[in-house]
Amino acid sequence: MNDSFADLPEPDAPDAPPAYLTGLNPPQRAAVEATEGPVLVLAGAGTGKTRVLITRLAHLIVTRRAQPWQILAVTFTNRAAREMRERVANLIGPVAQDIWLGTFHALAARLLRRHAELVGLKSSFTILDTDDQLRLLKQILQANSVDEKRWPAKLLLGTIERWKDRGLTPEKLKLDDGGELAGGRLVDLYRQYQERLKVLNTCDFGDLLLHMVTIFQQHPDVLAEYHRKFKYILVDEYQDTNVVQYLWLRLLAQQSKNICCVGDDDQSIYAWRGAEIDNILKFDKDFPDAKVIRLEQNYRSTAPILAAAGHLIAHNEGRLGKTLWTDQTGGAPVKVRGVWDGSEEAREIGDEIEALQRDGQSLGDMAILVRAGFQTREFEERLLTLGVPYRVIGGLRFYERAEVRDAVAYLRLIAQPDDDLAFERIVNTPRRGIGDVALQTLHRAARAANLSLTLAAYDVVTTDELKPAARKAVSRFLADFDRWRQLAQGLSVAELTEQVLDDSGYTAMWQADKSPEAPGRLENLKELVRAVEEFETLPAFLEHVSLVTERAEESGQAQVTLMTLHAAKGLEFDTVFLPGWEEGVFPNQRSLDETGARGLEEERRLAYVGLTRARQRAYVFHAANRRIHNQWQSLLPSRFITELPGDQIDLSAATGLAGAYRRPTVETYGGASFGGSSYGGGETNAERWAARRAAPSRGPVIEGKAARLVSGSAPKFTVGERVFHQKFGSGVVEAADGDKLQVAFEAAGIKHVMAAFIEKMR
């Protein structure tokens, strides 16, 4: 650490403004030079707020107002922190490394290492990840006889984390604050969880700030130390702070009040993860002498786009108010287009992308921004059909998402019983009592007899290799697939998919999951059902999925960006497509139902964010019909469309529906449906499976199901031979039927076992 300003660049001439101030507009410069007292910089989209933050940091150091280590600069992401440090270093040199610059969690952890003993920890404490948090909480639930099936650990942990985001320790909660969660015992479980963390000398991410707030509140001497240390505090994206972050900042700033918060109340879109918009709205009440500086000159978008976004967001009441403007001239109006349904929406956007590309526009400068992740599927399908490269940001491609892969694995195993990868993926998903030990047993039997896991399972369940509970679970699993294979011959692919997801308990598993991700996963499953409707046969759909997931990526190739509106914040593109602007979709009905007027205003801020991502062109689409929760619904255009200014939008295609409804053509992929003729060309696994199922029986089959062929070598054991089994010990062979043996074990009694698990005794 440097101890002086010796490494700083030489000051400019006395009468000349510093070079780093050159090019700033008047409000930007005012935000940089307003160094003393509380400052709120309301930085609209595209108004250069990052440049203001960086220049302000440099200004504080170059003008000798503070040593680098006397400045605390807080960001929300590690990437933002790295970028800020690099850009400050470009202005003032290596002294920038001494600034206390980082994310809330990184800076709080650095402070907590110094004072860990004040909250019962050692400075060497570890920080738990989510998996470890859940494991620890599950131990506590078990010790307290809490039924985790009724009260999943993920649900309870989510509530504990929200309490921590609000700065609430167990001591600050009443016993009934947890409502009926965990049978009304959640507050006590939270207390036990915190005590256990201390015993283990660890904490979770929520504790980093919560512990420091506790220390500052209970140890004034420690807080006074940091009042002396930090002369200036800078905060980026202030509108995204939660309560505990707000408390931490306010405690640190209460002495000098030299805090500068940069943010945009019109871009506060993260209430669902704890962000509190009131933090920025009440800044001038927390700091009565605060200066409020508005950055309103936009350097990103055309005038029509800014006018449309500004007119829309003006309908919100909970805002401090600003009006974006640009000195650019010209620009196309925002285009609003009405279509018949989601399929036509995807076709129109795909056609427009191709047209723009022909005109010389780069695919890398185009983005499709959706309200919910499930909407991406149709656009992915269309772009693949057109051969247009794309990337999904902030999430996986539709068919790569875990819940979709799970569901497809069920369908793969129905069509191809020899598909061991699919078998392994879903044999215990949802949990059905087939654990690792049982699966290892099935693997050993399969390898020994050169069978698939499915065939090996039919053999193993007729023996005593598995414990009774696991044997019963595997038998039910096999019976389910036998039933589904029969149903596959009479049901459509969509009907079969729905039946499987319901019968297997997979849908119910996500319905019971109370995590924030669960609703999106359920929407993706419904979208999958909708996707399979376009295919006449199960093999055709599975081949389509294979072609989609095997699509090779070309590094360095320009690609259309496909992402949610939440993930798009902070990014910009020449052309932005905004589909799904219908009531119930956007604004999202769940948000309206759960949070009312506050939810509507956040949805409107999200629409504002979407529009202001566009530099040159913005397209808004709404459909008259859309499949929602797997049912066709007639929809009204979003109220947000009616809130756009008529003189800045092109409604030429919005008043009538473009084109007539056309059902997508279903392509046949070289074969009939499962249970019919072959897929074409050579013997497939499905055909081999059918042959095995039709072959003469070599032993009993569970619940009277059709016989199957058991391949393998001739019997290795003879009656009367002494053998050894790892689980049952020593015994004597009493009967042999192919690779199945009846053995009288000295300790375990008579058991039916597979020859693969037996060793001869010498």
Side-chain angles (χ1 to χ4, degrees), residues 618-686:
Y619 297 78
V620 172
F621 283 78
H622 65 94
N625 306 279
R626 195 176 293 276
R627 287 290 292 271
I628 299 177
H629 303 311
N630 206 31
Q631 292 185 342
W632 279 106
Q633 295 186 22
S634 297
L635 300 172
L636 295 173
S638 170
R639 70 192 72 188
F640 299 154
I641 292 178
T642 68
E643 294 171 356
L644 297 174
D647 60 340
Q648 298 294 343
I649 60 175
D650 176 3
L651 289 169
S652 58
T655 53
L657 297 177
Y661 175 67
R662 298 181 297 274
R663 183 172 179 81
T665 301
V666 179
E667 296 185 26
T668 302
Y669 289 83
S673 63
F674 177 76
S677 59
S678 71
Y679 301 80
E683 185 187 35
T684 66
N685 283 339

Side-chain angles (χ1 to χ4, degrees), residues 297-575:
Q297 184 175 359
N298 179 279
Y299 296 93
R300 174 190 299 162
S301 305
T302 62
I305 291 172
L306 294 180
H311 199 274
L312 171 69
I313 200 63
H315 288 78
N316 271 7
E317 294 182 5
R319 63 189 298 258
L320 297 172
K322 60 185 173 305
T323 303
L324 299 186
W325 61 276
T326 179
D327 57 10
Q328 298 183 52
T329 58
V334 174
K335 294 184 179 180
V336 179
R337 295 187 175 178
V339 295
W340 179 256
D341 63 3
S343 296
E344 185 173 352
E345 181 180 62
R347 288 196 300 272
E348 292 238 349
I349 288 177
D351 292 346
E352 192 68 33
I353 287 172
E354 286 195 309
L356 290 169
Q357 188 182 25
R358 287 193 297 270
D359 288 342
Q361 303 299 317
S362 171
L363 295 177
D365 289 328
M366 304 181 204
I368 304 171
L369 308 182
V370 299
R371 174 59 182 86
F374 78 89
Q375 293 175 257
T376 67
R377 201 270 308 173
E378 283 189 304
F379 297 108
E380 291 187 58
E381 301 272 12
R382 185 58 185 168
L383 294 175
L384 283 169
T385 300
L386 296 174
V388 174
Y390 72 93
R391 58 176 182 165
V392 179
I393 300 296
L396 298 169
R397 294 172 183 267
F398 182 78
Y399 289 108
E400 293 173 353
R401 294 165 185 169
E403 63 279 5
V404 175
R405 290 173 69 93
D406 287 344
V408 170
Y410 273 97
L411 299 178
R412 284 168 49 192
L413 197 58
I414 290 171
Q416 300 280 11
D418 291 330
D419 190 335
D420 282 0
L421 293 177
F423 184 104
E424 286 183 87
R425 184 176 184 93
I426 49 85
V427 68
N428 204 37
T429 304
R431 293 187 179 182
R432 47 176 62 93
I434 306 174
D436 291 342
V437 174
L439 188 56
Q440 289 169 8
T441 300
L442 296 179
H443 269 294
R444 288 199 299 273
R447 286 195 301 268
N450 193 28
L451 296 172
S452 68
L453 286 171
T454 296
L455 282 176
Y458 276 106
D459 286 331
V460 170
V461 294
T462 65
T463 72
D464 298 309
E465 303 292 352
L466 298 173
K467 292 182 179 180
R471 186 164 61 247
K472 187 175 181 180
V474 173
S475 296
R476 285 197 301 265
F477 180 76
L478 295 173
D480 283 341
F481 274 91
D482 282 331
R483 185 177 72 259
W484 294 331
R485 291 185 188 106
Q486 290 296 320
L487 291 173
Q489 300 179 35
L491 297 179
S492 70
V493 187
E495 291 170 333
L496 175 66
T497 303
E498 285 188 294
Q499 184 93 32
V500 170
L501 292 174
D502 289 342
D503 290 355
S504 66
Y506 193 79
T507 297
M509 178 186 76
W510 286 115
Q511 287 172 338
D513 190 306
K514 303 303 180 184
S515 68
E517 298 83 13
R521 295 185 189 277
L522 286 168
E523 288 175 340
N524 287 336
L525 292 176
K526 290 164 185 169
E527 183 65 19
L528 175 66
V529 173
R530 183 185 167 202
V532 302
E533 284 185 338
E534 300 177 13
F535 299 87
E536 293 182 348
T537 69
L538 181 55
F541 170 70
L542 294 175
E543 183 169 340
H544 170 76
V545 173
S546 298
L547 293 172
V548 169
T549 54
E550 290 295 324
R551 178 177 174 270
E553 291 289 340
E554 297 183 27
S555 59
Q557 184 181 28
Q559 302 171 84
V560 174
T561 297
L562 188 54
M563 65 200 308
T564 65
L565 286 160
H566 283 101
K569 185 171 173 291
L571 303 178
E572 57 185 76
F573 305 89
D574 283 350
T575 304

